[in-house]
Amino acid sequence: MHAAVIAPGLYSLAAGPVNTFFLESSDGCVLIDAGFPSRSEKILQAIQELGKQPEDVRHIILTHAHPDHIGSFAALKKATGADAYMHPLDAPIAIAGTGFRRLYPTPGLFSHIAIRALALAPQSVEPASIEHEVRDGDVLPIAGGLTAIHVPGHCAGQIALLWPQYGGVLFAADTCSNMLGLGLSIGYENLEEGERSLKKLAQLDFQIACFGHGKAILSDASSQFKAKWDH
């Protein structure tokens, strides 16, 4: 696996069909999400290719408790010794390694096939502890400040993150995706709540948007969110 540069000090580590993000920081590097199970070695290899060691990672932020985002969390936590951060509605799932809530597909054949495939995946992952509960509006004092935004719908305890660097970088998690263009995620626990979360994100200003699934938008990203969801 190779790291793709999104901006100086910000990289995407594509752990299969889901993205993990790596932020370089003088107060300890940051991993956002942890990919599917059994991807920890590839993620750590990509970090080492950036000239960093596992122990340089001091913070692991989990955007939500789905197996493709917390699958390698326990292994990465062991390798790095990092503290973990998560919303209190989803933290118990990561701590237990099970208890995933049901997703309902959005309209379209691709979404139905993808959700069916996810349902066949193992319904447990290796558990690990969460040191810090993160609530809506919390500003994490790492990497120059990361503001947490509670964005339920896809997952009840999902958070997005807004980083003030580079005109604003939004880590949108799975509120939406950018696989076949900017659009809805493949599934939601509650689609109406997910659409309210997207409208909430469309009120923000940011240049760059990063997604759990799909390519980052590298310029004028918030205008694309506004065009789709600010109505």
Side-chain angles (χ1 to χ4, degrees):
M1 179 198 297
H2 293 286
V5 180
I6 296 171
L10 169 59
Y11 305 88
S12 173
L13 316 178
V18 62
N19 297 314
T20 292
F21 298 99
F22 181 75
L23 280 72
E24 293 180 338
S25 174
S26 59
D27 54 2
C29 298
V30 185
L31 268 181
I32 299 174
D33 285 332
F36 279 102
S38 304
R39 301 297 171 99
S40 60
E41 286 188 14
K42 288 187 174 181
I43 291 170
L44 292 169
Q45 180 185 344
I47 290 169
Q48 288 174 319
E49 288 173 4
L50 293 171
K52 302 293 184 181
Q53 298 303 313
E55 56 269 23
D56 292 324
V57 178
R58 305 312 312 141
H59 315 279
I60 299 174
I61 304 171
L62 301 171
T63 61
H64 63 289
H66 283 162
D68 55 335
H69 290 259
I70 66 168
S72 289
F73 164 51
L76 289 167
K77 198 171 193 303
K78 285 177 189 173
T80 62
D83 276 10
Y85 304 72
M86 200 172 203
H87 192 277
L89 288 176
D90 275 21
I93 299 173
I95 292 166
T98 190
F100 300 112
R101 295 180 291 262
R102 184 174 177 184
L103 276 181
Y104 299 91
T106 45
L109 181 62
F110 175 74
S111 294
H112 280 75
I113 292 170
I115 291 293
R116 189 170 293 178
L118 274 180
L120 297 174
Q123 292 305 298
S124 64
V125 299
E126 188 180 351
S129 61
I130 301 291
E131 283 71 34
H132 307 280
E133 291 189 342
V134 181
R135 292 170 170 80
D136 187 48
D138 286 355
V139 180
L140 306 183
I142 52 181
L146 285 158
T147 300
I149 305 148
H150 184 214
V151 280
H154 175 75
C155 196
Q158 180 173 246
I159 56 169
L161 298 161
L162 188 62
W163 192 38
Q165 306 296 324
Y166 308 114
V169 179
L170 177 72
F171 298 93
D174 284 3
T175 54
C176 52
S177 67
N178 191 34
M179 293 183 288
L180 302 170
L182 181 62
L184 294 174
S185 185
I186 60 166
Y188 293 82
E189 292 175 359
N190 183 316
L191 179 57
E192 285 186 4
E193 199 164 41
E195 289 174 332
R196 284 193 291 272
S197 289
L198 285 166
K199 188 168 184 177
K200 186 177 182 179
L201 294 182
Q203 310 305 309
L204 306 173
D205 290 317
F206 47 92
Q207 281 293 316
I208 297 170
C210 300
F211 306 89
H213 304 273
K215 291 184 176 181
I217 297 173
L218 299 180
S219 64
D220 205 22
S222 60
S223 68
Q224 297 186 43
F225 274 66
K226 286 178 170 63
K228 271 198 171 287
W229 294 301
D230 189 14
H231 51 72

